Amino acid sequence: MDPQAVKSNVVLILDYGSQYTHLITRRIRSLSIFSLCISGTSSLKSITDLNPSVIILSGGPHSVHSQDAPCFPDGFVDYVEKNGIFVLGICYGLQLIVQKLGGEVAIGEKQEYGRMVIEVVKDYGGLFKGKQIGDKQVVWMSHGDEAVKLPIGFEVVARSEQGAVAAVANPGRRFYGLQYHPEVTHSPKGMELLRHFFFDICGITAGWKMEDVMEEEIKVIKGMVGPDDHVICALSGGVDSTVAATLVHKAIGDRLHCIFVDNGLLRYKEQERVMGTFESDLHLPVTCVDASVQFLSELKGVTDPEKKRKIIGKEFISIFDAFAHDLEQKLGRKPTYLVQGTLYPDVIESCPPPGSGRTHSHTIKSHHNVGGLPKDMKILDVPVSFLKRHPFPGPGLAVRIPGDVTQGNALDILRQVDEIFIQAIKDAGIYDVIWQAFAVFLPIKTTGVQGDQRTHSNAVALRAVTSQDGMTADWYYFEHKFLDDVSRKICNSVRGVNRVCLDITSKPPSTIEWE
């Protein structure tokens, strides 16, 4: 498709701080539609300059009644109506539409979080194409306020089982709203609705390709990094930083200098395995720094999970600074940039609170790295086996040992348990259908009987989840025989463990990692 045609089919997302905002962008791009995400409080000129065909108002953690509740700029409604732009409000976005266009939003009598059933109550605006009045579907809700009075011209087209407004429409003004999140996988019909909304209601034409972004990003990197500039890349051994490094390496070659830090919190034989891939398969210029003593010394006695993450982040920065200094001495000039790669959930969960000037989301937990680059894994020549690796947190096993990570031999026990669990999953042929699996060392002792003797040993937990993006997740349903075999093998093979538990909590209410 002609580039200009792609740009005229822009779907613009105004971000009000939802954990799922960037997921909306990803879902839209998966439909081969060009989408962009900017702050929900951007100026009207910032919006008009992008010439969008559709604007989505995202969800967010605020109440529209809050004094500092973020909102679209003055003149927004007139602009979209005069230019025939479609507007879809999601969650907070729906409530914003209702309140600003003359309706009323109130604190809900019953809050709705997680899976809920909604029912189509009116055929109006074509939002639920092919659905009959009375048809029901499961969706993912996350709201405390609700629309209680709609603006003139709007109609309720779906309600939750509790009677709350679930979807509204005003086709004449091209305004639509969903109280639930169609972008998450736990709304099974969500993508069907989005596809219908963009193509059938809004008349968007597909034509955007991820390959276009990769080519564009390489051009951007080449344009940003001067011909004599050098770049440092912090490699964690995960998919995200590896893909980011590979992308930058394609752009600037050996002027990229990668550093892999063993912080003493890695999985079983992680350093050996990861360095082998970097050197043999990817041919990346990587320096391995063993800083395990440095990290564990700083973490000794620390039990607060947020403090652990901050310490780990601080030590990483210290090591990167030293690496940059050494590189400067070698090259005779300072490295210009630091490259990092991470998951969208990490970016969202690490966002600062309102008032920071950066976003409207609330901090859930800090991540040691919050940068990233667009990627298309199939065309970067990264080994498939590496791309299929489960995500591993930047702070490593520190977030899988609640409390002091240096207590006893917790790290060694956890590494052994985790290796047994992951290998069993691979042997069972289910590794690729699980988003993430790992073991957790529990900071408790339990009573057991092993070898006809009473024991007072450690308990561990196993966690495995399914997801498409890490924003929401369900626990994986293992066969009982698999769990029985793994439990027996762990207790028989790992000295110091006499109890194995299974985590059967979804996200939300839990995060995937324990800390």
Side-chain angles (χ1 to χ4, degrees):
M1 172 176 281
D2 178 71
Q4 191 59 42
V6 172
K7 290 182 180 179
S8 67
N9 282 277
V10 172
V11 174
L12 180 64
I13 297 139
L14 298 188
D15 176 19
Y16 294 107
S18 170
Q19 294 180 59
Y20 309 129
T21 297
H22 285 85
L23 181 57
I24 302 172
T25 308
R26 179 175 173 179
R27 293 285 183 259
I28 296 171
R29 290 180 176 185
S30 73
L31 297 173
S32 297
I33 298 172
F34 184 56
S35 62
L36 292 170
C37 178
I38 64 174
S39 170
T41 55
S42 295
S43 68
L44 186 61
K45 186 177 186 304
S46 297
I47 296 172
T48 60
D49 284 350
L50 293 170
N51 190 31
S53 296
V54 181
I55 296 177
I56 292 180
L57 308 180
S58 85
H62 294 269
S63 165
V64 293
H65 301 296
S66 299
Q67 186 174 354
D68 60 348
C71 182
F72 45 71
D74 292 338
F76 173 82
V77 174
D78 287 340
Y79 164 70
V80 296
E81 292 194 316
K82 287 180 180 178
N83 290 276
I85 298 170
F86 291 86
V87 178
L88 174 65
I90 295 177
C91 198
Y92 176 83
L94 175 148
Q95 296 167 12
L96 204 55
I97 289 172
V98 170
Q99 185 195 58
K100 297 303 179 182
L101 271 64
E104 184 179 344
V105 177
I107 297 174
E109 293 184 6
K110 295 181 180 180
Q111 297 180 332
E112 296 181 317
Y113 296 102
R115 284 189 178 85
M116 304 292 294
V117 174
I118 66 168
E119 178 180 340
V120 177
V121 297
K122 191 163 189 175
D123 181 11
Y124 184 73
L127 200 54
F128 293 95
K129 180 182 180 181
K131 302 294 187 294
Q132 303 296 320
I133 294 176
D135 283 355
K136 298 180 179 181
Q137 60 181 273
V138 175
V139 300
W140 192 261
M141 293 278 201
S142 184
H143 69 99
D145 292 349
E146 63 178 274
V148 294
K149 179 183 177 182
L150 298 187
I152 295 174
F154 282 76
E155 296 286 348
V156 177
V157 294
R159 289 186 180 274
S160 70
E161 285 189 322
Q162 296 187 137
V165 172
V168 301
N170 184 335
R173 299 180 71 177
R174 300 191 175 189
F175 276 89
Y176 298 81
L178 301 173
Q179 188 57 70
Y180 64 93
H181 290 275
E183 69 274 19
V184 302
T185 56
H186 299 319
S187 294
K189 299 291 185 181
M191 281 302 292
E192 177 184 316
L193 182 143
L194 290 177
R195 185 179 294 106
H196 164 61
F197 178 75
F198 292 124
F199 294 140
D200 300 334
I201 293 179
C202 303
I204 293 287
T205 302
W208 177 86
K209 301 188 299 296
M210 191 62 191
E211 289 87 342
D212 297 338
V213 166
M214 194 196 79
E215 293 173 2
E216 184 63 30
E217 285 301 325
I218 289 177
K219 291 179 183 177
V220 169
I221 294 167
K222 288 181 176 179
M224 179 184 298
V225 180
D228 298 320
D229 289 342
H230 288 256
V231 175
I232 294 175
C233 180
L235 283 174
S236 67
V239 174
D240 309 291
S241 62
T242 301
V243 170
T246 305
L247 181 62
V248 176
H249 194 241
K250 282 181 176 291
I252 65 172
D254 290 339
R255 288 183 290 126
L256 172 70
H257 307 271
C258 300
I259 174 175
F260 174 72
V261 179
D262 184 343
N263 57 6
L265 302 166
L266 302 178
R267 290 171 288 195
Y268 184 77
K269 292 187 177 180
E270 182 81 350
Q271 182 190 132
E272 176 185 328
R273 293 170 177 173
V274 167
M275 287 301 295
T277 299
F278 289 158
E279 295 169 0
S280 302
D281 297 319
L282 299 175
H283 309 294
L284 289 173
V286 183
T287 297
C288 180
V289 176
D290 188 344
S292 53
V293 173
Q294 177 179 334
F295 276 84
L296 297 180
S297 296
E298 292 294 323
L299 289 168
K300 187 174 180 59
V302 179
T303 59
D304 179 74
E306 187 66 8
K307 189 174 181 180
K308 286 196 291 186
R309 287 176 176 269
K310 295 294 186 183
I311 288 173
I312 292 168
K314 180 182 177 182
E315 293 307 309
F316 269 121
I317 291 173
S318 173
I319 292 170
F320 296 154
D321 283 345
F323 179 71
H325 179 74
D326 291 344
L327 192 60
E328 180 183 356
Q329 299 301 311
K330 177 182 176 181
L331 299 173
R333 61 185 302 148
K334 289 184 178 181
T336 312
Y337 296 97
L338 171 65
V339 176
Q340 290 179 284
T342 193
L343 291 169
Y344 263 143
D346 288 4
V347 176
I348 301 304
E349 291 179 352
S350 297
C351 285
S356 66
R358 287 174 57 195
T359 185
H360 309 289
S361 67
H362 289 173
T363 300
I364 296 172
K365 56 188 178 185
S366 297
H367 291 268
H368 81 299
N369 58 335
V370 289
L373 292 168
K375 53 191 178 286
D376 187 316
M377 295 178 176
K378 292 181 180 178
I379 55 179
L380 281 175
D381 300 323
V382 180
V384 173
S385 60
F386 199 91
L387 293 174
K388 290 184 177 181
R389 297 186 82 203
H390 291 176
F392 186 63
L397 300 181
V399 295
R400 295 177 181 177
I401 302 178
D404 184 356
V405 302
T406 65
Q407 58 185 296
N409 59 340
L411 282 165
D412 288 337
I413 288 175
L414 182 54
R415 287 189 182 100
Q416 294 176 64
V417 173
D418 188 77
E419 179 70 9
I420 290 171
F421 184 37
I422 298 302
Q423 190 57 54
I425 288 174
K426 291 179 178 178
D427 292 343
I430 55 176
Y431 185 83
D432 291 346
V433 300
I434 294 174
W435 166 268
Q436 191 171 0
F438 55 89
V440 178
F441 180 91
L442 303 181
I444 57 173
K445 297 278 190 176
T446 70
T447 301
V449 178
Q450 292 172 295
D452 294 328
Q453 293 184 349
R454 179 185 177 86
T455 62
H456 195 233
S457 301
N458 301 290
V460 295
L462 306 180
R463 180 136 169 86
V465 297
T466 57
S467 179
Q468 287 191 6
D469 41 59
M471 302 303 296
T472 60
D474 262 338
W475 57 281
Y476 182 77
Y477 289 66
F478 288 107
E479 292 183 2
H480 288 180
K481 185 179 185 307
F482 173 89
L483 293 173
D484 180 51
D485 290 344
V486 170
S487 177
R488 289 175 187 274
K489 188 168 185 179
I490 289 171
C491 290
N492 290 337
S493 304
V494 183
R495 186 175 296 277
V497 174
N498 67 0
R499 191 174 302 273
V500 179
C501 308
L502 180 66
D503 184 342
I504 57 170
T505 321
S506 64
K507 176 187 180 180
S510 299
T511 53
I512 295 177
E513 296 288 348
W514 275 46
E515 286 194 340

